[in-house]
Amino acid sequence: MPSSRQLAAIMFTDIVGYTALMGKDSAKALELVRISKDIQKPLVEKHNGKWLKEMGDGAMARFSTALDAVNCSIEIQEVARAKLDGKLRIGIHSGDITIEDDDVYGDGVNVASRLESIADPGGIYISESIEKAIQGQSDVQAKYLGEVKLKNVAYGVRTYALQGVGLPVPEVKAEKQVSGHFIAELKRRGVVRAGATYVVLSLLLILLAPYASSLVELPLWSTTALFTVLIVGFPIALYLAWNYERSPEGFVRTSSKESWQNPYKGSQKKPLTSNVIIAVMALIIIVTYAYPRYFSTEADTEVTVGDKSIAVMPFDNESADEENEYFVNGMMEDIRNNLSKIADLRVISKTSTEKYRTTTLSSQEIGKELSINYLLEGTVQKRGNQVRIHAQLISTENDDHIWEDTYQRDITDIKDYFIIQIEIAQAIADELQAVITPEEIELISSIPTENTEAYDLYLRGLFQSNSYTVEGYIQGLNFFQKAVELDSNFALAYSGIALSFLWRSSVFGDLSPDEASKNAMSNLNKALDLNPRLSEAHGFLGFVKFYFQWDFKGAEEEILKATMLNPNNETALFLYINFLNNMERHQEAFDYERKLMQIDPLANPDPTLFFLGRIDEAIQLAKKRVNLIPNPRTYSNLGFVLLNTGSYQEAINAQQKALELAGRRLPRMMAWLAAAYAKNGQEDKANELLDELKEIRNKSLAGSPSFFVAVIYSALDDKESAFQWLENAYEDHDMEMVWLKTEPQLYPLHDDSRFQDLLKRVGFDVSG
């Protein structure tokens, strides 16, 4: 008879202990074989199988479907338990077989026979091919035991034991050569599912804790207690999951017979571990975490009861001499700077608090606008070297004065001046129960100079620089330089000198980038040699490396050092947002923008949402900032967004307003106005501004507008002239070249090889 090949489910059975019984009582052994055949053969035929042959106490049958083979094996064991004075072992596998002369051979036969040989007395072992075939077709449950190395089978067989009433709990012994059984048991007992649920639930509780504290007043130790309980509870949860499960009879041990016969599904055995519950909790976590960070256009500054947020308001000058305003301002800034070095506090920037110098708003109204819990107000009176400072801490929730003190000192020795600041900062930190690290204590306690006159000159220079005018920076520079003449180790004064040079070039354009860069670097290096932990100097050094030297790697390192040394350094955060946007790392920029808005709610950083492609939100936010802070920068940023989203007339109106408020012709605003004219069909007006910018460059390279001339030419669709002026900008070392990659008006040039070459020369990574 010719042979044939087919795919079939093969079932092997044999009687446990038959060989030993044959040696003791052959008649009884033979009777068991007869009864076994009488039980099995009819059931095989009942389940559409074919009885193939008997081999001593064993038997082999073939089925067309895996489900028929499994149902038959279960019924055989059920009848055998009642009628057979002995136990059967059964193995089932689905695979290729060869039929020849009414006999069968092949992989399906070999694996089934070997599975039967290692099955537990009264048990049924099946291969993975059978388990997959019955999934979704039957209520029969099969539990994974691991991968078994079977005799004369070249590969490992992933093995399952059928589970149900009357079927034994598997005994996995060394001779069975099962690998991965521990992992299989973790899964069977639901430990992995329970652990995942515990972790997801813990994350959910941690994320929701701040919201709970905003509704119910919780003690300060509650957060620590929550973390402790969750950490301790994790191994306990795993232990309980390993040892116990829920069943119709209540909770039973997972190693028991009751567990093996438990009809519940995995999620029912471990309460609250269903896929639906885990998915819902995970979704809540994603929404809770991601929404305020990636979908909200405002900083996450919602204040809670435990939030240690504070604004140092402008101090009042109670001195008879109005000239002492510089001293009052310096005292206020020094106290704010000391507080800002404490990472556990959120300290609002001076630029946001300055708005309230002459305000009539209540503390509650200011607290709501700035999203803070506390205000620090103060008065300063100075007569010669006698100083009297009164400071008070106010709750913005109810206007309560929760702390106040008066300090009266002779500051002939400048150390006494700094001691006052340190004492005030320490008292506020104690009152707010802020954690201060040893490193922060060292930063706060450091005295920048021991020369009283030098520090007085530094405060005068700072006061003049805060006027944000060319004259103010020139006067400030003179004061800073006199300060270092009196104390050559005064790091802060060197940093002030550097700032004066940088701002005069980058903001006012009365110094060339080369002159500003050299002078700034020289003074910043001196400052950092004297005080390597000076946050301001690291931030300004990052500014030089970024804008003037195009050293992008070095710039990022310095800016991050500045933010590490002072987490509330708003200047460094503002600069880093600018840096990240220019590096096309816009999502990171948006994350840092949110941090900046927490300490400087009235700041107006780059239009990051525009770069992220969230156009409607970008326009909405830009308009909101204009309404909140109507200044040249907010109007110019609004004009930028409108220009690059096709609202040309509105962009023209916004840039015209920006120039009007600025009171001078700033190249950036002029270029974006000209680009809006060009796109709006008013090329004559665009060319007028173009000629004006060219004239500025012809007169002086200080504040070179070459980059923005290229922007206008690109908007006019004159690519050759745009490239010519980009080359001029490169030669001028125009600091605006850091925008080369992200300026939207230059996008039409990107595919040109000349543009890619220019990117490389400036230092951009073009590998992507």
Side-chain angles (χ1 to χ4, degrees):
M1 180 177 179
S3 63
S4 63
R5 292 176 60 83
Q6 60 180 266
L7 184 67
I10 300 297
M11 180 181 74
F12 253 92
T13 69
D14 84 345
I15 301 172
V16 179
Y18 171 79
T19 303
L21 181 60
M22 191 69 178
K24 295 178 182 179
D25 188 342
S26 60
K28 184 175 182 179
L30 292 172
E31 178 64 14
L32 282 178
V33 172
R34 184 189 65 78
I35 296 172
S36 175
K37 179 180 178 181
D38 290 344
I39 291 171
Q40 294 186 58
K41 191 172 182 180
L43 291 175
V44 168
E45 294 171 354
K46 173 185 173 182
H47 288 279
N48 307 311
K50 182 175 182 181
W51 184 264
L52 295 176
K53 63 180 179 179
E54 302 155 34
M55 297 157 286
D57 64 318
M60 180 172 62
R62 171 167 57 92
F63 297 85
S64 298
T65 70
L67 186 59
D68 285 338
V70 167
N71 287 336
C72 180
S73 68
I74 293 172
E75 192 167 353
I76 287 173
Q77 289 289 26
E78 183 180 344
V79 176
R81 285 194 295 272
K83 296 183 177 181
L84 189 65
D85 188 15
K87 292 187 176 180
L88 294 178
R89 276 192 295 248
I90 300 179
I92 310 173
H93 175 60
S94 177
D96 278 337
I97 62 170
T98 300
I99 302 174
E100 185 175 354
D101 297 329
D102 293 327
D103 206 349
V104 290
Y105 310 91
D107 179 70
V109 175
N110 296 337
V111 173
S113 66
R114 297 305 176 187
L115 287 175
E116 170 268 308
S117 69
I118 65 169
D120 304 287
I124 305 168
Y125 279 14
I126 64 175
S127 66
E128 185 175 45
S129 61
I130 295 291
E131 193 274 335
K132 285 184 176 179
I134 66 173
Q135 281 183 13
Q137 299 188 57
S138 170
D139 291 333
V140 176
Q141 295 188 52
K143 293 302 177 183
Y144 180 56
L145 301 180
E147 189 169 275
V148 180
K149 181 63 177 175
L150 299 172
K151 186 178 179 180
N152 296 330
V153 177
Y155 54 89
V157 177
R158 292 171 66 86
T159 302
Y160 294 75
L162 291 190
Q163 182 182 16
V165 176
L167 296 175
V169 179
E171 292 185 23
V172 181
K173 299 178 180 178
E175 57 266 25
K176 291 188 178 181
Q177 300 185 49
V178 180
S179 61
H181 178 65
F182 177 69
I183 302 299
E185 272 296 279
L186 285 175
K187 185 176 180 181
R188 181 185 78 80
R189 299 184 185 216
V191 176
V192 175
R193 180 182 291 274
T197 302
Y198 189 93
V199 170
V200 172
L201 181 60
S202 299
L203 289 173
L204 184 59
L205 290 174
I206 291 169
L207 283 173
L208 293 179
Y211 296 94
S213 65
S214 67
L215 300 174
V216 180
E217 186 168 356
L218 299 174
L220 293 175
W221 49 261
S222 60
T223 301
T224 303
L226 176 62
F227 275 95
T228 303
V229 169
L230 292 176
I231 292 171
V232 172
F234 184 65
I236 296 175
L238 296 183
Y239 172 82
L240 293 174
W242 175 265
N243 287 286
Y244 297 96
E245 66 182 30
R246 191 164 66 93
S247 75
E249 289 76 34
F251 280 91
V252 298
R253 294 191 68 88
T254 51
S255 58
S256 67
K257 180 180 179 182
E258 290 78 11
S259 169
W260 193 251
Q261 297 176 354
N262 190 351
Y264 282 172
K265 295 181 180 179
S267 60
Q268 294 174 306
K269 294 176 182 178
K270 305 296 189 218
L272 303 178
T273 66
S274 72
N275 292 340
V276 173
I277 292 176
I278 294 176
V280 168
M281 288 195 295
L283 181 61
I284 295 173
I285 288 172
I286 292 171
V287 172
T288 304
Y289 178 81
Y291 182 81
R293 289 165 174 77
Y294 301 108
F295 298 98
S296 174
T297 57
E298 298 297 322
D300 186 12
T301 54
E302 181 180 349
V303 98
T304 61
V305 173
D307 186 27
K308 301 162 191 173
S309 51
I310 183 172
V312 181
M313 307 305 289
F315 282 13
D316 291 331
N317 179 16
E318 292 191 346
S319 306
D321 188 351
E322 289 187 5
E323 198 214 340
N324 283 329
E325 189 68 35
Y326 80 91
F327 182 86
V328 176
N329 185 74
M331 175 64 75
M332 179 269 294
E333 283 208 47
D334 285 337
I335 292 172
R336 192 195 71 82
N337 288 337
N338 279 333
L339 290 172
S340 71
K341 293 170 185 174
I342 303 172
D344 200 32
L345 294 177
R346 179 164 66 88
V347 184
I348 300 300
S349 72
K350 179 179 180 291
T351 54
S352 283
T353 57
E354 189 64 29
K355 171 185 175 181
Y356 304 99
R357 181 173 289 276
T358 58
T359 188
T360 58
L361 296 177
S362 67
S363 59
Q364 291 100 322
E365 290 170 322
I366 296 174
K368 185 176 181 181
E369 283 191 5
L370 296 178
S371 297
I372 53 166
N373 270 330
Y374 303 98
L375 299 179
L376 179 68
E377 295 181 346
T379 61
V380 179
Q381 187 179 76
K382 183 175 183 288
R383 289 191 179 93
N385 288 326
Q386 296 296 317
V387 175
R388 181 180 182 276
I389 300 172
H390 179 75
Q392 55 187 2
L393 189 64
I394 302 170
S395 168
T396 60
E397 181 183 7
N398 48 28
D399 202 31
D400 282 352
H401 290 51
I402 61 175
W403 169 87
E404 64 179 314
D405 206 344
T406 300
Y407 303 83
Q408 190 158 345
R409 303 287 170 80
D410 183 332
I411 59 168
T412 302
D413 185 345
I414 193 62
K415 291 181 181 179
D416 290 321
Y417 171 87
F418 297 120
I419 289 172
I420 295 173
Q421 299 171 11
I422 294 167
E423 288 179 355
I424 292 175
Q426 185 67 61
I428 292 169
D430 290 344
E431 192 65 37
L432 300 184
Q433 299 185 14
V435 176
I436 308 180
T437 66
E439 293 80 8
E440 290 168 349
I441 292 174
E442 183 181 346
L443 284 172
I444 293 171
S445 302
S446 62
I447 295 177
T449 179
E450 295 184 3
N451 188 304
T452 303
E453 188 178 351
Y455 199 75
D456 185 77
L457 288 166
Y458 171 76
L459 292 181
R460 291 176 185 272
L462 202 62
F463 184 74
Q464 291 297 329
S465 297
N466 285 342
S467 67
Y468 299 108
T469 62
V470 176
E471 295 75 16
Y473 279 111
I474 292 174
Q475 292 177 24
L477 176 62
N478 291 333
F479 283 122
F480 293 141
Q481 289 173 331
K482 289 178 182 178
V484 297
E485 289 173 7
L486 294 174
D487 182 0
S488 59
N489 295 320
F490 194 177
L492 264 177
Y494 286 113
S495 182
I497 293 172
L499 175 64
S500 299
F501 282 113
L502 293 177
W503 258 226
R504 285 176 60 188
S505 175
S506 61
V507 178
F508 301 103
D510 72 313
L511 287 178
S512 70
D514 185 57
E515 182 182 359
S517 175
K518 287 180 180 178
N519 281 286
M521 283 294 292
S522 173
N523 284 279
L524 288 172
N525 286 332
K526 288 180 183 177
L528 290 171
D529 285 342
L530 293 167
N531 185 359
R533 305 190 69 189
L534 189 60
S535 174
E536 294 89 340
H538 281 293
F540 297 148
L541 185 57
F543 187 96
V544 174
K545 288 179 177 291
F546 178 45
Y547 280 109
F548 294 97
Q549 297 181 346
W550 302 339
D551 175 7
F552 300 143
K553 181 180 178 181
E556 184 168 23
E557 290 174 355
E558 292 299 328
I559 299 167
L560 288 176
K561 283 180 186 176
T563 59
M564 179 186 69
L565 291 167
N566 184 348
N568 293 295
N569 185 335
E570 70 273 9
T571 302
L573 286 173
F574 194 101
L575 176 59
Y576 198 42
I577 293 166
N578 197 292
F579 172 86
L580 291 169
N581 274 327
N582 281 280
M583 297 299 110
E584 294 185 309
R585 291 157 59 185
H586 304 306
Q587 185 57 59
E588 290 179 73
F590 185 65
D591 293 339
Y592 274 92
E593 183 172 319
R594 296 179 60 77
K595 292 182 181 180
L596 174 63
M597 297 300 286
Q598 287 184 330
I599 62 173
D600 194 357
L602 304 186
N604 185 48
D606 295 329
T608 309
L609 285 168
F610 167 80
F611 293 119
L612 283 171
R614 293 159 61 177
I615 304 303
D616 291 341
E617 295 171 86
I619 295 172
Q620 180 183 7
L621 184 59
K623 289 181 177 179
K624 184 174 181 179
R625 283 173 174 164
V626 162
N627 292 331
L628 184 65
I629 328 156
N631 63 26
R633 184 175 175 82
T634 56
Y635 272 104
S636 185
N637 276 359
L638 172 61
F640 170 88
V641 174
L642 293 170
L643 163 64
N644 294 297
T645 54
S647 300
Y648 302 127
Q649 187 56 55
E650 289 183 78
I652 291 169
N653 297 339
Q655 292 298 347
Q656 286 177 334
K657 186 65 177 179
L659 284 165
E660 177 188 331
L661 291 173
R664 51 200 169 90
R665 311 294 279 173
L666 294 175
R668 178 187 300 267
M669 297 176 189
M670 293 168 65
W672 288 341
L673 176 58
Y677 279 137
K679 298 293 184 181
N680 203 41
Q682 298 170 272
E683 294 186 1
D684 54 337
K685 291 188 176 181
N687 282 309
E688 288 177 12
L689 289 167
L690 186 63
D691 293 340
E692 190 176 341
L693 283 174
K694 287 181 182 179
E695 186 64 24
I696 293 174
R697 182 178 184 271
N698 291 335
K699 289 180 179 178
S700 172
L701 284 181
S704 168
S706 299
F707 177 82
F708 287 120
V709 172
V711 167
I712 299 173
Y713 271 123
S714 184
L716 288 166
D717 201 25
D718 185 348
K719 292 184 178 181
E720 293 305 316
S721 296
F723 274 113
Q724 177 188 336
W725 279 91
L726 284 177
E727 287 295 337
N728 290 341
Y730 179 80
E731 294 299 325
D732 297 346
H733 212 88
D734 188 339
M735 61 180 289
E736 299 294 346
M737 286 290 280
V738 297
W739 286 99
L740 184 63
K741 212 173 185 182
T742 49
E743 167 55 54
Q745 293 303 314
L746 298 180
Y747 288 170
L749 310 181
H750 282 201
D751 292 335
D752 194 298
S753 61
R754 290 174 293 177
F755 190 84
Q756 297 302 313
D757 176 65
L758 195 57
L759 286 175
K760 290 180 184 178
R761 282 186 281 150
V762 174
F764 284 102
D765 179 10
V766 295
S767 58

